């Protein structure tokens, strides 16, 4: 065991796997010599060489297109998109190619690629360093979408994602790279070194995709969250002293429906929290699933606390972000019914 | 808006093809260098040396069908006959499958008439295990590699024998064994993928190279730019082929930039070797491909080849070219027909004659017909269900996740309730 922040855990996952599997290659803008703008790939080029860890031209389309071709050859590429906000130039290659290659070739060709990308807000990133585009990808059949919320999970899930034979979008909540975030932006930031989930095994382990983590057991309300919002929700639960069950989804697709269903049937109330904009966001899918499956157990309408349907603002970040105030009010509302 | 009286008003240029329906086509002004006139550089020549080749035209066969100049690949008569036969078979296949679509046996088809030399001669110049990332108009690759016609037809009919389980639109073939990458409907996406495959081959110290094709219209996609950039940066062992057949559905090549430059000339800016080749000259096609393959195989990097040709027929079975171009263009096209030109060459060598040609034509027609009959035993599109309904859920992922399993069960239950056969 070692103390790691999320960046170190991701780095460790790549290191452990690259050591085991010579077919893994890491590529992206600034990932090589420099080790990535967030340092997630630091030291890997020195250790594994320039043909396994390399810088690419600034072309997201090219990065993913090339990765799909490498996957078809038999490699296991782990491309990085510097910010999730810049994944759109590669959208066609992800949606039309990576996601469909297995299907359209009836399994002859596959795209075993894992696209790592920092996502989410809370860092004054403005419009193009804050977005949460996960709902766009969960809508695409053939892609898996994974979002860790702790260093321990980040490593175990990334290992599982890279070993998975399907294309995986791996969004890393950059707000919590260094430490958990309660949503109280005016309080001193904590570091992962003070958190139990900052304990990370140095060698190989994996966390199966499609399995949620029950962060906290509770009887009165089920809160579904992922990424940074897991920590924000945990903070509010504690502050309000309510007996909520908090579920960190970890994998959005495939989703751990059993854990969700079991919890909501027990609590009778469900709240979904995400940073992404509301309309057609992943919360809509969660809300619909809960409604379909737990209808007779629900004591209140499913509540969604999300980003507003606007581009991510700069100066009004804390009014936009679904922080403790907004979640707190929503909890009061859902518990009243 | 500012209208300063001392400045002329700006004007937008919108390209227009020279000939529209009803017009008399005349290609007299197209510069066609004489066969043999274009030099053949060493395979390790620096990219900067390709200016003349990128604006010229590599040609081997002259108007009388003689092979001349430094690009003559000096193929054996057997190889020449093999390429000729592959081209004839491709044309016969196209004719028959086009008709099958017209007869309602399938939903869609695309011919490559007039462009057969490109895929067929290239298949001969590449190794059998070099990976091809084709567009939808390189069926000649499979045919020249003697891929079973029945298998191709099964795919076109989406029938019981279709290895792709009826999941893909007709002609979007895929065969790993045939080193033929799964065709996508999205134009140009295969270009960066081919570069990636070639990079992977280089990363692993393999000896195989990749080759990819797109139409001139598709070069306007961002994928083309990304592919050229990555190919150049990593000196990927890849051949990037642009099939300039003058038309992208109804849009003439001017809309992809052809008024201002050649497609081969794009290579210069990327620092890639660029060749412009007579696409209806099977020998030039072979020679240029062999040259580019050797360049790639010896770690000299990528080559961009523009094949100058003409799309002799409609874009697809859904297209009517008489609505946008002169009906005579096909006859007036100065580079002729690839099959006639190779045939003439072989006859000139004393290695072929009209009777053998007629016999070959009959033979390939029969081969195609027999394959069609055999394939139709597996069914044709629309006549009953050829795959169990549940198979639509497989291969989305390696294993079926719960939500797909649930949707599958729902579908089967609904079908059962409605009395619908499900397999
Ligand atoms: C991304 C994308 N845009 C548009 C289309 C529709 N489309 C199919 S073929 C075609 C024309 C392509 O022309 P070109 O690249 O010159 O190839 P050719 O058909 O002449 O062989 C178009 C616009 C498509 N398939 N994919």
């Amino acid at each position: 065991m070692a103390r790691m922040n999320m960046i170190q855990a991701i780095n460790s996952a790549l290191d452990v796997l690259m050591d085991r599997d010579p077919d893994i290659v890491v590529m992206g803008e600034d990932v090589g010599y420099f080790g990535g703008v967030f340092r997630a790939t630091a030291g890997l080029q020195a250790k594994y060489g320039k043909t396994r860890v390399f810088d690419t031209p600034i072309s997201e389309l090219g990065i993913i297109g090339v990765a799909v071709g490498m996957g078809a050859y038999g490699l296991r590429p782990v491309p990085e998109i510097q910010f999730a906000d810049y994944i759109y130039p590669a959208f066609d290659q992800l949606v039309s190619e990576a996601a469909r290659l297995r299907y359209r070739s009836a399994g002859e060709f596959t795209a075993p690629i894992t696209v790592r990308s920092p996502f989410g807000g809370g860092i004054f990133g403005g419009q193009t360093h804050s977005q949460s585009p996960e709902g766009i990808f969960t809508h695409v059949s053939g892609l898996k979408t994974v979002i860790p919320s702790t260093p321990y999970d980040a490593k175990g899930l990334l290992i599982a994602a890279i070993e998975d034979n399907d294309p995986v979008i791996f969004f890393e909540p950059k707000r919590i790279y260094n430490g958990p975030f309660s949503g109280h932006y005016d309080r001193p930031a904590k570091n992962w070194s003070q958190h139990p989930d900052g304990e990370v095994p140095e060698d190989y382990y994996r966390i199966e995709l499609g399995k949620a983590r029950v962060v906290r057991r509770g009887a009165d309300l089920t809160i579904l969250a992922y990424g940074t919002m897991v920590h924000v929700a945990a903070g509010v639960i504690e502050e309000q002293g309510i007996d909520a069950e908090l579920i960190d989804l970890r994998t959005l697709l495939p989703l751990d429906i059993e854990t969700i269903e079991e919890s909501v049937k027990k609590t009778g109330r469900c709240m979904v929290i995400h940073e992404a904009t509301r309309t057609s966001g992943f919360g809509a899918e969660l809300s619909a699933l809960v409604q379909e499956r737990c209808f007779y157990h629900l004591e209140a309408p499913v509540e969604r606390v999300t980003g507003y349907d606007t581009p991510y603002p700069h100066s009004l970040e804390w009014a936009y972000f679904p922080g403790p105030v907004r979640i707190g009010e929503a909890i009061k509302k859902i518990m009243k019914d | 808006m500012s209208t300063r009286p001392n400045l002329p008003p700006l004007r937008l240029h919108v390209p227009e093809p020279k000939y529209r329906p009803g017009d008399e086509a005349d290609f007299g002004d197209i510069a066609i260098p004489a066969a043999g006139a274009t030099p053949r550089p060493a395979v390790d020549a620096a990219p900067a040396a390709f200016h003349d080749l990128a604006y010229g035209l590599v040609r081997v066969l002259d108007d009388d069908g003689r092979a001349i100049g430094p690009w003559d690949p000096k193929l054996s008569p057997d190889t020449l006959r093999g390429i000729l036969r592959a081209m004839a078979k491709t044309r016969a296949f196209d004719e028959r499958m086009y008709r099958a679509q017209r007869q309602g046996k399938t939903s869609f088809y695309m011919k490559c008439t007039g462009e057969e030399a490109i895929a067929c001669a290239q298949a001969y110049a590449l190794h059998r295990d070099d990976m091809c990332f084709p567009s939808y108009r390189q069926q000649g690759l499979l045919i020249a590699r003697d891929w079973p016609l029945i298998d191709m037809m099964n795919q076109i009919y989406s029938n019981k024998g279709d290895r792709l389980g009826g999941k893909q639109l007709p002609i979007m073939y895929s065969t790993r064994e045939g080193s033929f990458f799964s065709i996508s409907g999205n134009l140009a996406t295969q270009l960066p993928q081919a570069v990636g495959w070639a990079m992977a081959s280089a990363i692993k110290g393999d000896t195989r190279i990749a080759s990819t094709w797109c139409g001139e219209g598709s070069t306007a996609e961002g994928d083309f730019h990304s592919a050229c950039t990555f190919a150049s940066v990593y000196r990927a062992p890849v051949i990037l082929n642009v099939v300039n057949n003058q038309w992208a559905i109804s849009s003439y090549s001017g809309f992809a930039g052809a008024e201002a430059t050649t497609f081969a000339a794009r290579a210069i800016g990327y620092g890639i070797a660029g060749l412009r080749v007579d696409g209806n000259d099977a020998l030039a096609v072979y020679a240029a491909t062999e040259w580019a393959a050797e360049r790639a195989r010896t770690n000299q990097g990528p080559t961009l080849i523009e094949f100058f040709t003409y799309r002799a027929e409609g874009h697809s079975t859904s297209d009517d070219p008489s609505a946008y171009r002169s009906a005579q263009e096909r006859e007036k096209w100065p580079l002729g027909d690839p099959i006639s030109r190779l045939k003439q060459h072989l006859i000139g060598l004393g290695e072929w004659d009209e009777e053998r040609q007629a016999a070959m034509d009959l033979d390939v027609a029969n081969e195609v017909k027999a394959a069609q009959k055999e394939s139709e035993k597996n069914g044709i599109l629309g006549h009953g269900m050829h795959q169990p309904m549940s198979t639509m859920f497989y291969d989305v992922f390696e294993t079926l996740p719960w939500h797909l399993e649930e949707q599958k069960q729902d579908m089967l239950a609904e079908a059962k309730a409605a009395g619908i056969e499900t397999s």
Side-chain angles (χ1 to χ4, degrees):
Chain A
M1 283 287 183
R3 282 271 158 200
M4 294 188 200
N5 63 28
M6 197 184 282
I7 287 286
Q8 290 161 332
I10 286 162
N11 187 276
S12 172
L14 293 170
D15 190 6
V16 164
L17 275 193
M18 290 192 80
D19 192 50
R20 292 181 151 220
D21 182 352
D23 289 335
I24 294 172
V25 292
V26 167
M27 55 198 271
E29 296 156 19
D30 306 296
V31 306
Y33 183 85
F34 177 57
V37 292
F38 291 103
R39 320 297 304 140
T41 56
L44 296 177
Q45 187 180 74
K47 188 161 174 189
Y48 297 103
K50 284 204 296 185
T51 59
R52 291 191 61 201
V53 183
F54 50 87
D55 293 320
T56 63
I58 303 169
S59 166
E60 290 73 18
L61 183 178
I63 293 167
I64 302 301
V66 156
V68 170
M70 289 177 165
Y73 177 93
L75 298 188
R76 215 168 259 283
V78 188
E80 175 182 301
I81 300 294
Q82 208 160 67
F83 290 89
D85 315 60
Y86 304 127
I87 203 166
Y88 311 119
F91 198 57
D92 186 40
Q93 285 287 345
L94 287 168
V95 174
S96 312
E97 302 297 316
R100 308 216 179 148
L101 188 51
R102 179 190 293 281
Y103 194 71
R104 73 173 200 234
S105 71
E108 269 199 339
F109 295 99
T110 58
I113 69 174
T114 301
V115 183
R116 289 184 40 248
S117 189
F119 95 124
I123 57 152
F124 275 113
Q127 293 187 26
T128 57
H129 300 83
S130 308
Q131 294 171 36
S132 300
E134 66 277 9
I136 301 177
F137 294 97
T138 55
H139 188 58
V140 178
S141 40
L143 295 180
K144 294 181 176 172
T145 304
V146 178
I147 298 174
S149 72
T150 67
Y152 179 84
D153 278 8
K155 178 169 175 179
L157 288 169
L158 182 55
I159 286 176
I162 296 172
E163 290 183 336
D164 197 285
N165 290 326
D166 292 311
V168 181
I169 309 289
F170 192 86
F171 281 133
E172 301 165 3
K174 58 186 171 299
R175 182 62 183 80
I176 56 172
Y177 266 157
N178 291 317
F181 178 57
S182 67
H184 291 288
Y185 54 92
D186 44 358
R187 296 184 192 164
K190 276 199 215 117
N191 196 284
W192 280 115
S193 61
Q194 296 139 34
H195 194 284
D197 290 327
E199 283 277 316
V200 178
E202 275 158 301
D203 35 58
Y204 178 95
Y205 66 97
R206 48 184 280 161
I207 297 173
E208 293 309 316
L209 305 186
K211 297 264 176 287
R213 175 174 71 105
V214 180
V215 181
R216 184 192 185 282
R217 293 272 170 206
D220 297 343
L221 164 68
T222 299
I223 295 182
L224 307 178
Y226 47 90
T228 303
M229 301 320 296
V230 171
H231 302 281
V232 180
V236 180
I237 291 168
E238 202 175 314
E239 285 158 23
Q240 294 218 346
I242 58 153
D243 192 18
E245 184 146 300
L246 175 59
I247 298 176
D248 173 3
L249 299 178
R250 298 204 287 202
T251 305
L252 305 196
L253 200 137
L255 185 68
D256 185 351
I257 194 67
E258 277 174 28
T259 300
I260 296 171
E261 215 176 306
E262 197 185 306
S263 176
V264 177
K265 282 182 178 163
K266 179 180 72 181
T267 64
R269 288 183 168 83
C270 180
M271 173 180 288
V272 178
I273 309 177
H274 60 58
E275 286 178 70
T277 49
R278 173 166 311 193
T279 302
S280 306
F282 192 64
E285 181 63 32
L286 290 171
S287 171
L289 284 169
V290 166
Q291 185 270 134
E292 283 162 10
R293 287 161 186 266
C294 310
F295 187 75
Y296 296 106
H297 295 80
L298 286 176
E299 288 164 39
V302 177
E303 186 75 26
R304 284 183 286 164
V305 188
T306 69
Y308 296 116
D309 284 340
T310 71
Y312 204 106
H314 186 241
S315 66
L316 295 177
E317 168 144 66
W318 299 118
Y320 176 93
F321 190 85
V325 173
R326 293 183 52 203
I327 295 171
E329 291 305 309
I331 289 179
K332 282 180 207 151
K333 183 176 157 205
I334 197 172
M335 295 311 294
K336 221 170 44 205
D337 290 295
Chain B
M1 174 141 171
S2 151
T3 48
R4 289 191 203 158
N6 58 335
L7 290 176
L10 297 169
R11 268 180 293 130
L12 178 72
H13 172 69
V14 179
E16 183 64 32
K18 278 204 300 238
Y19 310 109
R20 286 297 194 185
D23 291 343
E24 184 93 5
D26 178 2
F27 291 112
D29 60 335
I30 295 186
I32 307 288
T38 311
R40 183 181 190 277
V43 289
D44 62 352
F50 286 83
H51 186 277
D52 290 351
L53 285 140
Y55 286 99
L57 200 62
V58 172
R59 305 184 71 217
V60 173
L61 292 173
D62 70 7
D63 289 349
D64 301 319
R66 280 177 311 214
I68 37 183
W71 285 95
D72 178 6
K74 306 229 160 53
L75 299 176
S76 71
D78 276 346
T79 303
L80 292 171
R81 282 188 289 258
I83 295 173
L84 184 69
R85 186 183 172 88
M87 290 199 285
K89 197 154 105 180
T90 302
R91 191 164 290 183
F93 184 86
D94 276 359
E95 290 298 336
R96 218 157 175 101
M97 289 297 98
Y98 183 88
R99 217 165 341 129
Q101 191 278 338
R102 285 294 185 251
Q103 292 165 340
K105 292 175 175 177
T106 189
S107 57
F108 182 73
Y109 192 71
M110 290 174 116
K111 291 173 154 187
C112 67
T113 313
E115 303 172 34
E116 292 92 345
I118 296 159
C120 293
Q122 289 199 281
Y124 273 78
L126 295 168
H127 292 172
R128 181 65 168 69
D129 57 358
D130 287 336
M131 190 67 192
C132 295
F133 288 77
S135 84
Y136 46 70
R137 234 184 272 283
Q138 281 79 44
Q139 55 266 51
L141 286 171
L142 286 172
I143 291 173
R145 283 174 168 182
D146 276 327
W147 192 256
L149 302 183
I150 296 174
D151 186 66
M152 296 170 72
M153 289 170 173
N154 287 341
Q155 198 281 327
I156 290 166
Y157 291 133
S158 278
N159 63 19
K160 281 190 182 64
D162 177 10
R163 285 180 298 103
L164 307 186
K167 284 168 171 162
Q168 264 283 43
L169 193 69
I171 75 167
M172 305 274 175
Y173 312 110
S174 173
T175 159
R176 178 180 269 284
E177 200 194 322
S179 298
F180 188 98
F181 187 70
S182 156
I183 294 176
S184 170
N186 290 60
L187 293 173
T189 50
Q190 72 277 12
L191 300 181
Q193 294 166 1
V195 174
W197 195 97
M199 288 169 68
S201 187
I203 287 170
K204 296 309 268 185
D206 200 336
T207 56
R208 293 175 295 168
I209 64 169
S211 188
T212 183
W213 290 259
C214 75
E216 89 291 340
S218 304
T219 62
E221 295 284 0
D223 305 64
F224 176 78
H225 167 66
S226 298
C228 289
T229 302
F230 278 67
S232 169
V233 166
Y234 301 103
R235 294 192 199 152
V238 65
I239 307 176
L240 306 159
N241 303 285
V242 176
V243 181
N244 177 8
N245 63 12
Q246 317 300 317
W247 291 93
I249 310 185
S250 76
S251 304
Y252 98 107
S253 57
F255 284 96
E259 282 183 346
T261 183
T262 69
F263 295 95
R266 306 270 190 241
I268 295 173
Y270 292 103
I272 296 177
L275 305 175
R276 190 156 175 272
V277 177
D278 178 346
N280 291 9
D281 175 345
L283 294 188
V285 171
Y286 181 98
T289 307
E290 185 188 39
W291 183 96
E294 195 189 336
R295 187 172 169 90
R297 257 185 256 289
T298 52
N299 287 304
Q300 310 294 329
T303 302
L304 172 68
I305 312 179
E306 171 187 350
F307 292 106
F308 196 51
T309 182
Y310 185 79
R311 196 194 76 210
E313 302 238 356
H315 171 72
S316 71
T317 47
S318 314
D319 180 47
D320 171 17
S322 72
Y324 52 79
R325 70 183 188 186
S326 162
Q328 307 167 299
E329 280 193 10
R330 177 179 180 168
E331 281 69 47
K332 294 283 171 93
W333 178 243
L335 298 178
D337 176 75
I339 296 182
S340 313
R341 286 176 69 190
L342 187 57
K343 169 186 145 191
Q344 186 194 16
H345 173 62
L346 268 165
I347 292 175
L349 291 178
E351 291 288 349
W352 199 242
D353 52 48
E354 290 292 351
E355 277 125 73
R356 287 164 85 179
Q357 178 79 18
M360 179 191 74
D361 282 342
L362 190 66
D363 199 37
V364 293
N366 284 335
E367 196 186 329
V368 170
K369 198 164 140 189
Q372 185 186 23
K373 224 169 135 191
E374 227 18 67
S375 162
E376 287 180 7
K377 287 185 187 157
N378 292 325
I380 55 175
L381 186 70
H383 287 225
M385 199 168 56
H386 299 307
Q387 293 88 20
M389 263 160 79
S390 60
T391 58
M392 87 166 81
F393 294 97
Y394 294 107
D395 285 326
V396 177
F397 296 102
E398 186 175 35
T399 56
L400 210 58
W402 68 267
H403 65 288
L404 286 180
E405 179 61 36
E406 218 173 73
Q407 289 168 30
K408 184 183 97 181
Q409 296 303 343
D410 285 352
M411 180 191 74
L412 294 175
E414 282 163 12
K416 194 171 166 211
I420 295 168
E421 189 92 42
T422 56
S423 61

